[in-house]
Amino acid sequence: MTSTTATNRPAGHGPRAATRPRGRRRAAAALAGAALVLAGCSLTGGGEPSGGGSGSSAGTLTVVTHDSFHLSQPLLDKFTEDTGYQLKFVAPGDAGALVNQLILTKDSPLGDVVYGIDNSFAARAVDAGVLEPYTSDALPASAKQYADGGSLTPVDMGDVCINVDHQWFTEHGVPEPANLEDLAKPAYKDLLVVTNPATSSPGLAFLLATVGAYGPDGFEGYWQRLRDNGVKVVDGWSDAYYVDFSGSEGAGPRPLVLSYASSPAAEVPADGSAPRTGALLDTCFRQVEYAGVIAGTAHADGAEKFVDFLLSPEVQADIPGQMYMYPVDDTVHLPEAWAAHAPLADKPYTVDPKDVSAHREEWIDAWTRVVIG
């Protein structure tokens, strides 16, 4: 995500109406965050915390997020009631822009606590020293595999995968692809649309999936084959999913699209029947989103409480419907449509976060040279 401006994030990754795939939630989330401020969240920082709860004022806690953060208002109100901290939200952009801004403002921090750093940028944030050491004691057992052991606490996760329009393939008598190799076969020429990894977080995730699958020395050759097979590249998720993809409201010409494993759950018809789309679970890269205490905060106590709050059962249960991500707590009851139509991949592709931090720009540049020219 270089400074991935999320043409996809406001449109492809976060709080839209609970029935929408992860696309239109980013813009909704930004508006929701603004609404929170306008509705009464303090615009100025408070002094040192003086306790909390029972109506006492502990000051203002500034939460820095990517532009798709959204939780139900009663939960945010409950945090203020329990801790005494008023909440102010600052959203500088997608995960890449978020980390960039934390680094640029290190000497004059944007806020007290951050949510939305993902595993594509985690090592960069830690190495830059923009976070205080803190891992929440509330971390559920199922999330410990994602913990960095120091400054970041995993909050949610999701798989970026190729989605398929089952109906299109049935009507055209073409067998569906199953994996990355299939996508490069002549049978699927001109059928796939993806997003640019320089401008889209799902695009970067899919690029990393190919690095994980073919290695740093082999992914370029794979993308050369995709290019020769007519892959279409657009800047943002919403254009890919809502304009080019045949399986959603845009009724576009391409039955294969880069999206999320959770997207089919958002396409369930009103009668509850199976959606016409599905995710190809052998093409996925797992994104993990983290929270952390920002270095230099005067409200470390409140920042730690907010990280703990994000792991509370109530917030974890709210995440699927508000941000279209999976909670890291696997004991949380998922929405019915998710349980039926949004399974996570058993073996998603992964790349070591330190390797991503060291080679992200190099890999994006190589991809651009091969695919865009």
Side-chain angles (χ1 to χ4, degrees):
M1 291 177 270
T2 62
S3 161
T4 41
T5 61
T7 346
N8 74 294
R9 282 279 190 180
H13 192 106
R16 59 206 141 208
T19 56
R20 282 272 158 264
R22 295 190 70 202
R24 295 185 175 175
R25 298 193 77 85
R26 288 286 188 211
L31 293 173
L36 288 175
V37 174
L38 294 173
C41 291
S42 173
L43 293 173
T44 58
E48 289 292 334
S50 58
S54 302
S56 63
S57 176
T60 297
L61 190 73
T62 300
V63 183
V64 185
T65 76
H66 57 45
D67 54 10
S68 72
F69 175 81
H70 193 257
L71 290 176
S72 296
Q73 186 63 48
L75 290 176
L76 299 174
D77 293 341
K78 186 68 163 51
F79 176 83
T80 295
E81 179 184 338
D82 289 346
T83 67
Y85 283 98
Q86 299 294 319
L87 293 172
K88 172 187 173 182
F89 292 88
V90 175
D94 77 337
L98 171 62
V99 172
N100 286 343
Q101 287 302 306
L102 290 176
I103 294 171
L104 290 172
T105 61
K106 180 179 177 181
D107 294 333
S108 182
L110 285 175
D112 305 298
V113 61
V114 59
Y115 159 81
I117 297 173
D118 71 19
N119 50 326
S120 299
F121 285 91
R124 183 181 180 200
V126 171
D127 292 344
V130 299
L131 301 165
E132 297 281 4
Y134 181 70
T135 300
S136 175
D137 289 337
L139 191 69
S142 57
K144 291 181 179 177
Q145 61 183 308
Y146 304 118
D148 78 332
S151 303
L152 288 168
T153 295
V155 173
D156 57 52
M157 62 182 181
D159 287 343
V160 174
C161 315
I162 299 300
N163 277 209
V164 57
D165 177 0
H166 298 307
Q167 183 174 315
W168 188 98
F169 283 96
T170 297
E171 291 175 350
H172 287 77
V174 178
E176 294 181 4
N179 52 42
L180 294 176
E181 272 300 296
D182 285 350
L183 298 175
K185 293 178 178 178
Y188 307 106
K189 185 175 179 62
D190 298 330
L191 300 186
L192 173 64
V193 57
V194 302
T195 50
N196 190 322
T199 58
S200 156
S201 61
L204 177 59
F206 188 58
L207 170 59
L208 295 177
T210 65
V211 173
Y214 297 96
D217 297 324
F219 78 94
E220 292 181 50
Y222 176 72
W223 278 100
Q224 178 71 59
R225 288 191 285 143
L226 284 186
R227 190 191 73 174
D228 293 344
N229 209 39
V231 65
K232 182 176 182 179
V233 178
V234 297
D235 283 342
W237 178 93
S238 59
D239 282 343
Y241 196 88
Y242 289 118
V243 177
D244 290 296
F245 184 43
S246 62
S248 190
E249 63 190 43
R254 295 190 175 230
L256 297 168
V257 66
L258 179 62
S259 194
Y260 295 83
S262 57
S263 296
E267 299 291 350
V268 174
D271 63 7
S273 59
R276 64 181 285 171
T277 68
L280 302 182
L281 297 182
D282 289 333
T283 66
C284 304
F285 181 85
R286 180 151 300 166
Q287 288 185 323
V288 181
E289 295 186 312
Y290 295 89
V293 178
I294 297 176
T297 175
H299 296 305
D301 174 70
E304 292 176 0
K305 287 179 177 177
F306 192 82
V307 175
D308 296 345
F309 163 74
L310 292 175
L311 293 176
S312 66
E314 296 80 7
V315 171
Q316 288 285 292
D318 199 47
I319 284 172
Q322 297 298 325
M323 293 191 282
Y324 255 71
M325 293 291 275
Y326 272 84
V328 290
D329 185 348
D330 67 3
T331 67
V332 168
H333 179 72
L334 292 172
E336 183 177 342
W338 281 55
H341 305 297
L344 287 166
D346 290 332
K347 295 180 179 179
Y349 291 106
T350 60
V351 179
D352 188 294
K354 291 189 178 297
D355 289 338
V356 177
S357 184
H359 299 290
R360 182 191 310 105
E361 305 305 325
E362 171 191 333
W363 291 340
I364 291 174
D365 288 346
W367 179 93
T368 303
R369 183 177 61 254
V370 169
V371 179
I372 304 300

